[in-house]
Amino acid sequence: MTGKTLYDKLWDTHVVRSDADGTALIYIDRHLVHEVTSPQAFEGLRLAGRKPWRADSILATPDHNVPTTGREQGITDPVARLQVETLDQNCAKFGITEFKMNDLRQGIVHVISPEEGATLPGMTVVCGDSHTSTHGAFGALAHGIGTSEVEHVLATQCLLQKKSKNMRVNVDGKTGAGVTAKDIVLAIIGEIGTAGGTGYAIEFAGEAIRNLSMEGRMTVCNMAIEAGARAGMVAVDDKTIDYVRGRPYAPAGAMWERAVAAWRELHSDADALFDQEVHIDATTIRPQVTWGTSPEMVVPVDGRVPDPQQEPDPVRREGMERALAYMGLEPGMPITAIRPDKVFIGSCTNGRIEDLRAAAEAVRGRKVAAGIKQALVVPGSGLVKRQAEQEGLDRIFIEAGFEWRDPGCSMCLAMNADRLEPGERCASTSNRNFEGRQGQGGRTHLVSPAMAAAAAVTGHFVDVRQMNQE
Amino acid sequence: MEKFSIIDGIVAPLDRANVDTDAIIPKQFLKSIQRTGFGPNLFDEWRYLDSGEPGMDNSNRPLNPDFVLNQPRYQGAQILLARDNFGCGSSREHAPWALLDYGFRVIIAPGFADIFYNNCFKNGILPVVLDAEVVDQLFNEVAAQPGYRLKVDLQAQAVTTPDGTVHPFPVDAFRKHCLLNGLDDIGLTLQHADEIRAYEARRREQAPWLFSDMT
């Protein structure tokens, strides 16, 4: 008998029952809830006279809709306010722990759960949000679900699922200086495509992944969904365990020792078989910049905007032409000639302390360039914000001309007031460059925090590794 | 959930790959706490020439005449013909809610994003996967024949074209059963409540740290 993959192990330990056609009932250990995808689920519970199966498994916070400035005035948009108040009421009614808007621990749900130790290795984690794949960085099985499934998990603590196939993406060798987790994952998506992971759970492995911090692994797993995979994951190692130790909801004492012993098993066995294996040479990865309207439309910063005429597939060619027209770019244009109007540093992809440190390092002693209309730094949580302030990062950003905001999803999806105007171009550390994602008509270029910061201070995309030579 | 048996309806072609759920229903409409009323804002940024906001009277907004759903020949369409990786991106169930509210009961594509595919079944929409070549052929037929219809039979797992060609499609037995009967899967799962409790009791012994209490 062959060994098991990490995904096999996580799956097997969570199957409550399975049917002949392979549909299984999977037990959910941690349920994260935010204001946008939960109101209809709570309403469904109420209409059916049900209540949460395990309220103690749930952590809730408002993140998508909350303003990132002027919070003392509350939420001025009445529609957004009603949604956040609805979350508050549902949590109060059902006894669910919620970090409310003005709680220091509030933030983007995928930032706060690991921060609190609410995400633990070996767990199943779900949330009505596709970027739940983030939590796979802890050797957990984590994925986004729809609102009907939110209601299903609330009511039954389980999900109905069929098992995905196993894919391993090996990022072999070491990345060069200035190449970050974001560049790794964008390079992976550029390689396998936005549907490359559809139907799979992806395990990220290899030296370059092992060398990443937990923050970096979260960035990579966060964007597994951008490669089509509902779940991304990384095996547990010392870094995982060191990160979790001492966090508020992590086990302690004798329980901690027992847990760690179990977590040490959370890796793929040496003889495990994968349905697909992908190899990427880390030494060839350069800082990445997306040029189009899908995360797979990505090139290295020293590259050029591609020419659709070189694309043989007609559907792809048309997609490229449409993307270039939307983005206002010409084929053959050097990426470094692209000049953003706005810069956004934040999101569940890149709103953690390490991201802010990397961005601050590129900004230190410089000023936001004259052509940049707005440069935002939105920490992923109140605790990240406090930590950054303790390290003096806020001063670096503010002195350079950045705005230092309160935590939330902000301009990643522009549900609040932070958005692009039609035609505006943004260097963004978020995860999606879809048409209209950051505001109707807005043009998004996905980059790492250091690359976004470098674009902010030079006024155009620039290889952060060479910035000091300018 | 409404039962699904056979839909014999007009087909509207949406000829672009990687249609994401942000395009299907833009974020500003996600502030609603209802499940219904999203239809007028389906594909809002492609469908209208102005900028849509919640609470607008959509009947007075300028339509984009180039967008496929605004063309007279596709009015009343119940079947959306699409390209690969339809429904990628955000997990928002508002996307199938908007498609359903507009009137679509079937989406045909060479491939769907996983979360979206799953969300469709929870809302009485049947996502049908056909080979890319077949989908290509259907796009050609729709373009060539105004009023083009398809018959989609879930029980038989077959799409039938006007000339009688039958294209079989796969669907999971469990999902098919729920959709055919309009079943609430929470009710079905709760029939196994004892098994869930037994699992919980066992896991609390094996891995008590997984039950860390958030309250």
Side-chain angles (χ1 to χ4, degrees), chain B residues 25-45:
Chain B
I25 183 81
K27 82 281 288 169
Q28 61 270 35
F29 304 108
L30 272 49
K31 294 174 188 174
S32 166
I33 57 173
Q34 312 293 324
R35 268 176 193 264
T36 52
F38 296 102
N41 301 110
L42 174 70
F43 298 119
D44 197 273
E45 293 183 7

Side-chain angles (χ1 to χ4, degrees), chain A residues 13 27 40 97 148-149 436, chain B residues 27 34 93 118 199-200 214:
Chain A
T13 50
Y27 190 82
Q40 296 88 351
T97 296
S148 294
E149 291 179 314
Chain B
K27 82 281 288 169
Q34 312 293 324
E93 200 161 315
N118 202 38
Y199 172 91
E200 271 181 336
M214 298 304 303

Side-chain angles (χ1 to χ4, degrees), chain A residues 277-315:
Chain A
E277 292 235 32
V278 175
H279 287 272
I280 291 181
D281 179 357
T283 62
T284 64
I285 300 175
R286 288 164 281 169
Q288 305 280 306
V289 182
T290 64
W291 56 267
T293 54
S294 167
E296 70 186 17
M297 294 173 167
V298 64
V299 290
V301 62
D302 56 357
R304 290 172 181 272
V305 175
D307 184 354
Q309 295 313 313
Q310 309 290 320
E311 171 58 54
D313 178 78
V315 175

Side-chain angles (χ1 to χ4, degrees), chain B residues 76-200:
Chain B
Q78 288 180 284
I79 300 171
L80 186 67
L81 184 64
R83 294 289 186 184
D84 199 20
N85 201 27
F86 188 85
C88 61
S90 159
S91 60
R92 60 188 68 168
E93 200 161 315
H94 312 67
W97 293 338
L99 287 159
L100 184 70
D101 201 55
Y102 181 88
F104 287 115
R105 295 298 308 279
V106 178
I107 304 162
I108 300 175
F112 293 90
D114 284 338
I115 301 176
F116 176 82
Y117 184 78
N118 202 38
N119 284 341
C120 284
F121 283 99
K122 311 284 185 189
N123 291 284
I125 297 177
L126 176 63
V128 172
V129 178
L130 295 177
D131 284 346
E133 298 74 43
V134 174
V135 170
D136 254 344
Q137 175 63 23
L138 295 178
F139 268 102
N140 292 337
E141 291 176 15
V142 173
Q145 302 171 39
Y148 186 85
R149 302 172 76 89
L150 287 170
K151 190 175 108 177
V152 180
D153 183 337
L154 175 58
Q155 182 62 52
Q157 296 184 220
V159 174
T160 309
T161 68
D163 68 8
T165 308
V166 176
H167 301 289
F169 62 86
V171 59
D172 287 345
F174 179 77
R175 283 172 166 149
K176 179 177 174 178
H177 172 70
C178 290
L179 199 49
L180 280 172
N181 298 292
L183 294 177
D184 160 18
D185 58 13
I186 294 177
L188 291 178
T189 296
L190 286 173
Q191 291 175 4
H192 305 295
D194 288 346
E195 282 173 86
I196 301 170
R197 284 191 202 97
Y199 172 91
E200 271 181 336

Side-chain angles (χ1 to χ4, degrees), chain A residues 110 129-135 222 225-226 348 431-432 437:
Chain A
H110 308 307
D129 191 289
S130 60
H131 291 110
T132 310
S133 56
T134 309
H135 308 268
N222 173 275
I225 185 66
E226 262 46 78
C348 59
N431 39 60
R432 289 186 175 135
R437 171 77 179 182

Side-chain angles (χ1 to χ4, degrees), chain A residues 256-270:
Chain A
W256 169 258
E257 298 304 329
R258 255 183 92 185
V260 168
W263 295 344
R264 294 282 181 198
E265 302 301 316
L266 294 172
H267 54 79
S268 291
D269 295 333

Side-chain angles (χ1 to χ4, degrees), chain A residues 6 167-175 181 184 188 202-213 216-217 220-221 233-237 239 267-268 274 277-283 285:
Chain A
L6 171 58
M167 181 190 291
R168 181 159 59 189
V169 174
N170 304 278
V171 188
D172 306 312
K174 291 186 171 65
T175 51
I184 292 174
I188 292 170
I202 300 180
E203 179 176 347
F204 297 98
E207 184 180 1
I209 300 293
R210 299 248 67 84
N211 286 345
L212 290 174
S213 64
R217 294 175 191 181
V220 171
C221 290
M233 61 195 76
V234 175
V236 170
D237 63 8
K239 282 184 195 171
H267 54 79
S268 291
F274 288 82
E277 292 235 32
V278 175
H279 287 272
I280 291 181
D281 179 357
T283 62
I285 300 175

